[in-house]
Amino acid sequence: MRMDKLIEKISHKLSHKNLITMIVILSVFIIALLGAIFRNDIMRPLSNLTSPGEDSNTASRPPLVVIDPGHGGSEPGAGNGKINEKEITLPISLEVEKILNEKQIDNILTRRDDTAVSLEDRTKLANEKKGTLFISIHNNSFTDPSAHGILTTYNPNSPTGESNAKIMQSKLKTLGMFNRKIVPRPNLYVLRRTEMPSLLLEIGFISNKNDLQLLTSSDFQKKCAVQIVKGIEEILETNTTASSKSSSKD
Ligand SMILES: [Zn+2]
């Protein structure tokens, strides 16, 4: 047959070396083809399996606000007479929690009662839970009882630290206390060790008579919580807008 003769002719012409070259080229082609199939049919569905709620995709996770009531238990914080800082920071924090719950903003408190929690445990909790924002609530104190007012401290090494502090202080200054503005505090443990944007609020001076009067009023504590939540909402909104803008540039 003609066909048989042709094949015979070709195979005679093909040396052993040529045959090996052909096998190698064919193998490379098959491997490339398999690779393309693998990328399209296996890898694509795998990447789609990662839902927005998973840890691997924190950007689209709903925000989690960590509220940190300063001091507690055997660590009373600053004091003035019978009043201790821990007794002011907790009710304000619980009020913040209540408002956040009403607004369905996920939140967690580092303490919900009069117990001592170490600074290490506070930041550990925030980091483990992958908090979006950490707000520590404290009161100031000074040897000179005339020192008074409200301020927001931030970590200057955090990219959003200063801008977040400005937002928070713009809400806190409406509370009627003297506006001490924003203060960089690079060495504060909770600001340094939290792996998310964080602020530490010094709400009034417990050592000042007028500030103390406000701080012990449940009406003031509630108004204070309202402003803190307003600050939180604006910070979350601003940071989300900023991150979506930067990701759209990619
Ligand atoms: Zn304190």
Side-chain angles (χ1 to χ4, degrees):
M1 279 174 88
R2 271 185 148 186
M3 198 65 174
D4 286 350
K5 279 183 179 174
L6 189 71
I7 291 168
E8 210 176 313
K9 217 175 177 182
I10 290 168
S11 44
H12 271 298
K13 277 188 174 177
L14 282 174
S15 70
H16 205 66
K17 269 186 185 175
N18 282 342
L19 203 68
I20 288 170
T21 311
M22 269 184 78
I23 289 167
V24 168
I25 290 167
L26 204 67
S27 304
V28 168
F29 177 75
I30 289 166
I31 288 165
L33 190 73
L34 282 174
I37 291 166
F38 196 79
R39 271 196 304 278
N40 287 329
D41 296 344
I42 300 170
M43 293 314 279
R44 199 175 291 165
L46 259 185
S47 65
N48 287 349
L49 282 173
T50 315
S51 75
E54 285 179 50
D55 284 342
S56 56
N57 198 352
T58 48
S60 50
R61 214 162 41 95
L64 172 69
V65 182
V66 184
I67 300 297
D68 177 43
H71 313 281
S74 57
E75 296 156 19
N80 190 347
K82 286 180 182 174
I83 305 293
N84 292 310
E85 192 181 342
K86 65 171 187 172
E87 292 144 11
I88 298 165
T89 59
L90 185 62
I92 293 174
S93 301
L94 290 173
E95 202 61 43
V96 170
E97 178 191 43
K98 197 177 134 190
I99 303 169
L100 287 175
N101 286 343
E102 282 166 6
K103 289 178 176 287
Q104 296 183 325
I105 298 171
D106 289 345
N107 64 85
I108 186 165
L109 269 69
T110 55
R111 71 174 175 105
R112 299 195 72 266
D113 52 24
D114 187 23
T115 49
V117 182
S118 70
L119 297 179
E120 192 190 353
D121 284 346
R122 289 168 197 254
T123 53
K124 200 176 151 195
L125 177 80
N127 294 339
E128 276 176 2
K129 298 283 180 188
K130 294 184 166 48
T132 316
L133 180 64
F134 182 92
I135 304 288
S136 193
I137 296 172
H138 286 252
N139 310 115
N140 229 328
S141 181
F142 196 56
T143 45
D144 180 355
S146 68
H148 64 294
I150 194 161
L151 63 97
T152 301
T153 69
Y154 65 98
N155 183 353
N157 300 315
S158 157
T160 56
E162 189 180 354
S163 57
N164 288 344
K166 278 182 181 165
I167 292 170
M168 184 56 80
Q169 187 64 13
S170 76
K171 311 299 173 196
L172 297 183
K173 73 177 186 186
T174 67
L175 285 163
M177 277 182 171
F178 176 64
N179 179 13
R180 299 188 77 96
K181 301 181 183 171
I182 62 167
V183 181
R185 294 288 299 275
N187 296 321
L188 279 184
Y189 187 94
V190 294
L191 297 184
R192 203 162 35 87
R193 298 299 286 267
T194 40
E195 292 162 1
M196 73 267 345
S198 57
L199 296 173
L200 187 143
L201 318 180
E202 294 279 16
I203 301 163
F205 279 69
I206 204 166
S207 49
N208 178 266
K209 198 184 152 192
N210 292 336
D211 276 7
L212 184 64
Q213 207 168 3
L214 282 173
L215 290 171
T216 49
S217 138
S218 66
D219 185 50
F220 178 86
Q221 290 171 358
K222 281 177 187 168
K223 282 178 181 165
C224 188
V226 169
Q227 293 309 317
I228 292 171
V229 173
K230 278 186 182 175
I232 290 169
E233 284 184 297
E234 197 175 315
I235 289 167
L236 292 177
E237 208 180 331
T238 308
N239 290 356
T240 309
T241 314
S243 66
S244 66
K245 265 183 188 170
S246 68
S247 63
S248 68
K249 277 177 196 167
D250 294 343

